[in-house]
Amino acid sequence: MIKTSDLCFSYPSGVAVFDRFSWSVSAGEAWTVIGPSGCGKSTLLLLIAGLLRPDDGSLLINGMQLERPRPRTGLVLQEYGLLPWSTVWENAALGLLIRGYYGHDGKHTPADEDLTQAKSRVDHWLERLNIDHVKDRFPHQISGGQRQRTAIARTLALHPDLILMDEPFGALDALTRENMQLLMLGLYAEHHLTHVIVTHNIEEAVILGKNIMILCNPPIGSVEIMVNNDSSWGTRGYRNTSEYLDRCRYLRNEMGVNGALA
Ligand code: ADP
Ligand code: MG
């Protein structure tokens, strides 16, 4: 699904973030990418999303060189990106609006059945994510968890096959965060979309990542990859198992050894 080979990327300011970075993600895998602030996690997602272009090396999505953002890649950004003057429903429909399902005056441009389908897709995801009861409220009138769900609904309404999330739950309180993690695991179990979730939180990386990639200090070349494929991953009680604690400890050690936590 995603394959980078010898990928190089520097910002115009001269900060080299990736230097011959090779990584591969198969369709339907659930990855977390962990590393300290400034190591290049957001840059990696922007590259995969096609919003930044590599300087060198290759970046393939489904075997094709990525030239521009592709319709079926869903990106959920750090700050949710909700429009404060639009309701939850309108925010969830925003991606479809941008794709041209609705005119800005509320009138639709494509065929009636496309419009009906698009609307019901928004309704479906609001219901699935338990925010249909707040669909007429504005972002400042709902909780942080509900705002995050709205951003996720907007992405899922676009029918993605690849979901990229940048530190999605960092701003949430511990309990809401746990609920959101369970929600993501539930969605993964239902749809098996390819997930790449960036976090700087060790516990979150272990909960959400069946595969975990550790990034250290840039420029990032070879990577430390831990495959976390025990049978209890993704189950409700995983957080209480000794495997889970072992994985967290392993990750903490690895990151310490490699200087990521220094
Ligand atoms: P992370 O998401 O892991 O915190 P980033 O990918 O945002 O890290 O940043 C990686 C490195 O690139 C950092 O050194 C950061 O300062 C730098 N950087 C990020 N965005 C830009 C930008 N737009 N211009 C120049 N440098 C940037
Ligand atoms: Mg970041």
Side-chain angles (χ1 to χ4, degrees), residues 178-191:
E178 239 174 77
N179 276 328
M180 291 301 299
Q181 291 168 351
L182 287 176
L183 172 70
M184 288 314 297
L185 288 174
L187 289 174
Y188 179 73
E190 285 162 30
H191 301 279

Side-chain angles (χ1 to χ4, degrees), residues 224 226 245-255:
E224 185 69 43
M226 198 213 33
L245 291 175
D246 283 347
R247 299 287 178 193
C248 291
R249 205 173 302 128
Y250 176 87
L251 224 62
R252 201 166 275 118
N253 278 340
E254 282 298 306
M255 292 177 70

Side-chain angles (χ1 to χ4, degrees), residues 37-43 78 166-167 198:
S37 196
C39 72
K41 302 183 296 299
S42 298
T43 305
Q78 228 158 344
D166 196 356
E167 312 237 10
V198 154

